[in-house]
Structure formats: structure tokens, C-alpha cells
Amino acid sequence: MLLSLPALLLSAALRVPAPIPPTTATLSGHLDHAPAGDTVRLAYGSHQGGQRLRAVLSPTGDFRVTVPDLKTGTPVDFYYARQHASLYLRPGDDVRMTLDFPKFDESLQFSGDGADANNYLARSLWRFEFGPGSAAARPQPTTTAAQMRQQANDFRQARRDFLASYAKAHPLPADFQRSERLDIDLGWAISLLEYPGTYRYLAKQEPVLPTTYFDFLQQLPLKQFDQYLGERGGKGNTAVMRFLTSYANRLNPSGVLSADPAEAPRHYALARADFGANPASIDRAMSQFYLWKLDSNLDGVVAAYPTFRAHNRDSTAARTLRTLLGRQLAVREAQPAPAFTLLDNTGRKVSLQDLRGKLVYLDFWGTWCAPCMKEMPASIELKKKFEGRDVAFVFISVGDKEEKWQKVLAAEHLTSPNSVHLRSPAGDDVASRYQVSGYPTYWLIGRDGRIITRTAPRPSDGDATVAALNAALAK
């Protein structure tokens, strides 16, 4: 049957493809009084390390960048000159940022399509993190467990109320609101998980935890937690990973991991009870837990490792833990200390072998490290107490340029006849062979070149440090 011309035109019209939805968003802005010499940087997504974008900031403080490949609302991290802001962009957004750089968080504002979610993020951060009175409103971990719980509950409710009131006045996307509610709950749980360790550190005593203390975990969607791993990007991924790291305090509230092999199965039983059939979450939580304990409880990790191998299904986590565990075992007490040969401050080569026959008090430090520099006056006094004795005070500077290192040595009068000052240059990272993860770090190496301890007392520990050195000399 032949179609009439109007019918043909109608048929053709019906076959016109639907408009292709946008896959990009635009972020532009003006930064008043911003320091020159840096670039605007954006980071978003989590697939294969995520995406990175850069944009030049003009001499007048303006920038514009197009964010491609957006399929849905996406958290985006904004960086410029050591400042950071959390953003949220959807396909089709055209958001404009303005701020006065010296008052970065206080003055941050957005306009244009997609501005509402970003203004919420800016106002929430100022209200609960950086604004006046925000610190006092946050939970205080030196209180009792019951007081900490109440403070954490109040803080979470204040953040929930702010989100609800803002969403009532501004059209926030539904998926954005769900994500923010989860982040609020994760922040609440993290503060409660970190309480035992933080209280122990600040109060110098063990907290009293009721048997029901960790029941708050039942209010989180842990039975569906696998779906949040790696899919949220930016701030969301940070909150998830920080929660899984803090979960170590649920497994080990005392902070000391037992070397009893029966302890690891109990940890896995707890994780299964909390996370249910979510293997990725359990694998991530347990690997984070054992990695966190490598420095402080190596014997406990060694005892737990067979159980970890039997239960873990994450090959990347298994490879990481196996590698780092092997490196830590290589610098265990009674093992030969890793060899090194470095130039001292006079340009002379010095090796660990050259010091054989002396007790070595080894200090990994850097001029850039404030705690390291704070120890130096006590270090000078400690060296004086052992003048003429078989102790070599060896200082290995890490991450310093030679010129600055030499200036600090001279200005602070750090050299002495019984001290050796070395610098570890790029490409000869002695600290990594010693598995140094923080600065300053102090070691005792015996006359025979074997490790006595990798956690020697600091110079500022006074009598305890003198006693440790005398005990090592008596061996």
C-alpha cells in the first residue's frame, strides 16, 4: 500500500534519533589573590587510577576546564597551590567557582548549572570542619566511651539536619543526597572506631569499653559494603577506605596484636559477622589491618599470615602483604642490619662495616621534619654523655638537598667527634631498605652489626635512652 506524503513525513520524523545526552561538564572560575606559578588540577573517577586534568590559571586569576567522560554525577577533587575543594559534577553541568584565596574555605562559592550540590559541599565543610567553633562541636576522644558516643551521635545529627535543611531549600540530586548521607554515617563510625586508639594515645591509659561498644556498626550497610568499594571516587572512596582502616580497632581494640595463631581466626569470624557475604570488604579490611600492624606487631602478623593466606581472595592484597612482610622480616631483631655506604658531611665515604665493633645509635631524620629538629637539642646532650665510649651516633638525612643539609648541620652545631652525619641521596634510599615509615626513627645496632632494636628510645626520653645504650654496651 502506498503512503501519502504526510504519512511519509510523519514516518521519517518518528525515525529521528533521540538527542545524545551530554557526557561532559564545564568548570570555570576566578581565584582572587591566588599565588602564581601553579595550575588548577582536577582528579576524579577510580577506574585504573582515575582521571587527571590540568588548566592554566590566567594572570587575572581565571580558568576554564572541560571534564569529559562523565556518565553520572561524579565527585571531583579540585587542587591549587596546596588548597583543596571537594566538588560534584554531572553531565551537562556548567559550574563557576569564585573565591578569595587567602580565605579559601570561607569565601568559596558556586553559580551556574550544578551549583547547588557544590555550594552544599563548601558550606558543610566550613560549618563542620574549618569554620569558627567547628573544632569544639566535633567529638572529643578524651571523654568516656559513653560521652564519646553521645557527642558522635550529636555531631552526626547536626550534619544530617544541615543536609536535610539545605536539600529542602535547594534542589540537590537524589543520588548526591544518598552519597552524602553515607559519608556522614561513615564519618560518625570512623570517629567511634578510632576512639580506643586516640584515647590511649592522648590519655596515656586504656579506655573502658562496654561490651556493647561496637554495636553502632549494625547501623551501617556493611552487608552491602562491597558495592561501595572503588565506585564512588574522590571523597567517597576516601571515606570508605578510611573506614576499613579504622575497622582495625574493632578487630583489635587493645592496639596490641597477639602472636597467638588462634587470634586470626577470631578476627575473621568478627569480620564475617559484620560484613556478611561481602568478600571484597572482608579482604580489604583484613589486609589493611595486617599491613597497619607490620611496624608495631610484626610477630602477630607472622602468626596471622597462614590464616590470611587461607581466607584472602584478593591477589593484589596478598602480593602486597607478602612483599612487605618479607621486607620487615629482613630487618627483624638479631638480623644483620642492611649495609650502606654514604658520603658524610666532609665528603668521606662511610659504610656500616666501618663502624663494626661500636654500638650504633642510628637516627633517620630530615631538616624538613619538625619532630626531627625538635629532638636535636636532646641529641646533642645525649652525645656528650657518651663521649669517649664505643658508641657511634649515626645520622642519615633523607630527602634533603646537600646545601640545606650542610647549612643546618653548621647552624645547629650538630657535628661532634662521636657522631657521623650522612645523607641518603636520590637513587640510594637506605631508609626503604630499613623499612622506615616515619621520621624520626631510631635504631640500635650491636657491635656485631646485628639489629638490637628498630624502636630505640628517642634522645628526649632522657634516662630511658641512656639506660638502653648502657644495656646494649654491656652485651
Side-chain angles (χ1 to χ4, degrees), residues 140-149 191-211 213-214 249-250 252-256:
Q140 305 301 312
T142 54
T143 59
T144 67
Q147 291 169 328
M148 178 67 184
R149 178 65 180 271
S191 68
L192 293 172
L193 284 169
E194 291 180 344
Y195 168 75
T198 306
Y199 180 92
R200 187 183 304 111
Y201 176 77
L202 294 174
K204 309 301 181 187
Q205 62 183 2
E206 291 295 321
V208 178
L209 299 180
T211 56
Y213 178 78
F214 292 101
N249 292 287
R250 154 68 157 162
N252 185 227
S254 71
V256 179

Side-chain angles (χ1 to χ4, degrees), residues 128-385:
F128 296 108
E129 295 292 335
F130 300 122
S134 60
R138 291 195 292 272
Q140 305 301 312
T142 54
T143 59
T144 67
Q147 291 169 328
M148 178 67 184
R149 178 65 180 271
Q150 186 59 56
Q151 291 175 11
N153 287 351
D154 292 344
F155 189 65
R156 176 177 67 159
Q157 191 59 52
R159 293 190 64 193
R160 285 176 164 181
D161 291 344
F162 181 72
L163 174 60
S165 64
Y166 203 96
K168 188 174 181 179
H170 306 275
L172 297 179
D175 60 334
F176 174 81
Q177 293 186 57
R178 285 193 298 271
S179 181
E180 285 302 305
R181 283 193 291 267
L182 177 62
D183 283 346
I184 290 170
D185 286 348
L186 287 176
W188 165 76
I190 288 166
S191 68
L192 293 172
L193 284 169
E194 291 180 344
Y195 168 75
T198 306
Y199 180 92
R200 187 183 304 111
Y201 176 77
L202 294 174
K204 309 301 181 187
Q205 62 183 2
E206 291 295 321
V208 178
L209 299 180
T211 56
T212 59
Y213 178 78
F214 292 101
D215 286 358
F216 65 86
L217 292 170
Q218 297 172 12
Q219 298 184 40
L220 297 175
L222 298 188
K223 297 295 193 292
Q224 299 83 36
F225 213 63
D226 278 11
Q227 72 187 62
Y228 302 114
L229 294 176
E231 72 170 20
R232 302 171 70 226
K235 181 170 69 79
N237 275 348
T238 299
V240 168
M241 292 307 301
R242 190 177 168 202
F243 171 81
L244 291 174
T245 301
S246 302
Y247 184 76
N249 292 287
R250 154 68 157 162
L251 301 171
N252 185 227
S254 71
V256 179
L257 182 61
S258 170
D260 181 359
E263 193 72 9
R266 290 195 283 269
H267 292 150
Y268 269 93
L270 268 179
R272 284 193 296 271
D274 289 336
F275 289 98
N278 278 260
S281 298
I282 295 173
D283 287 344
R284 193 72 64 92
M286 300 307 293
S287 62
Q288 291 286 105
F289 175 46
Y290 293 127
L291 286 169
W292 181 51
K293 290 295 183 181
L294 273 174
D295 280 339
S296 58
N297 294 126
L298 181 58
D299 289 341
V301 178
V302 171
Y305 187 65
T307 301
F308 171 80
R309 287 192 62 186
H311 290 84
N312 175 69
R313 288 143 293 198
D314 185 337
S315 59
T316 300
R319 183 167 56 253
T320 301
L321 182 59
R322 182 176 66 250
T323 300
L324 294 181
L325 179 57
R327 292 175 181 173
Q328 293 286 357
L329 289 173
V331 289
R332 209 175 188 182
E333 292 180 3
Q335 294 294 316
F340 57 79
T341 299
L342 298 169
L343 295 179
D344 72 2
N345 57 303
T346 68
R348 180 175 63 95
K349 282 187 178 181
V350 177
S351 70
L352 182 60
Q353 179 66 31
D354 296 335
L355 303 172
R356 188 65 63 89
K358 290 188 175 184
L359 176 68
V360 174
Y361 184 71
L362 179 58
D363 177 354
F364 286 97
W365 73 294
T367 64
W368 45 266
C369 166
C372 302
M373 297 305 300
K374 188 176 180 180
E375 288 289 332
M376 286 306 175
S379 183
I380 292 172
E381 295 304 312
L382 180 64
K383 288 187 292 182
K384 290 178 180 178
K385 293 178 180 178

Side-chain angles (χ1 to χ4, degrees), residues 56-78:
V56 175
L57 189 71
S58 75
T60 58
D62 297 298
F63 72 91
R64 184 178 183 86
V65 58
T66 298
V67 181
D69 303 325
L70 294 180
K71 297 180 175 59
T72 184
T74 302
V76 176
D77 289 304
F78 170 95

Side-chain angles (χ1 to χ4, degrees), residues 295 327-338 340 352 359-365 391-394 396 430-446 449-459 465 468-469 472:
D295 280 339
R327 292 175 181 173
Q328 293 286 357
L329 289 173
V331 289
R332 209 175 188 182
E333 292 180 3
Q335 294 294 316
F340 57 79
L352 182 60
L359 176 68
V360 174
Y361 184 71
L362 179 58
D363 177 354
F364 286 97
W365 73 294
V391 182
F393 292 87
V394 179
I396 297 182
V430 177
S432 67
R433 297 204 294 277
Y434 276 77
Q435 297 301 293
V436 174
S437 58
Y439 296 87
T441 296
Y442 301 92
W443 297 60
L444 275 179
I445 300 173
R450 292 182 178 273
I451 297 167
I452 295 175
T453 179
R454 53 187 294 178
T455 56
R458 294 185 173 208
T465 311
L469 290 175

Side-chain angles (χ1 to χ4, degrees), residues 14-96:
L14 292 175
R15 291 196 300 271
V16 173
I20 299 175
T23 59
T24 64
T26 300
L27 176 69
S28 60
H30 177 78
L31 312 184
D32 273 332
H33 307 112
D38 206 345
T39 57
V40 170
R41 301 179 303 283
L42 302 183
Y44 64 101
S46 58
H47 180 62
Q48 295 182 345
Q51 304 294 321
R52 301 290 186 269
L53 299 173
R54 288 178 178 268
V56 175
L57 189 71
S58 75
T60 58
D62 297 298
F63 72 91
R64 184 178 183 86
V65 58
T66 298
V67 181
D69 303 325
L70 294 180
K71 297 180 175 59
T72 184
T74 302
V76 176
D77 289 304
F78 170 95
Y79 302 94
Y80 187 86
R82 296 189 176 183
Q83 287 284 13
H84 166 260
S86 294
L87 312 179
Y88 179 84
L89 297 177
R90 295 174 300 170
D93 279 353
D94 187 3
V95 181
R96 180 166 177 78

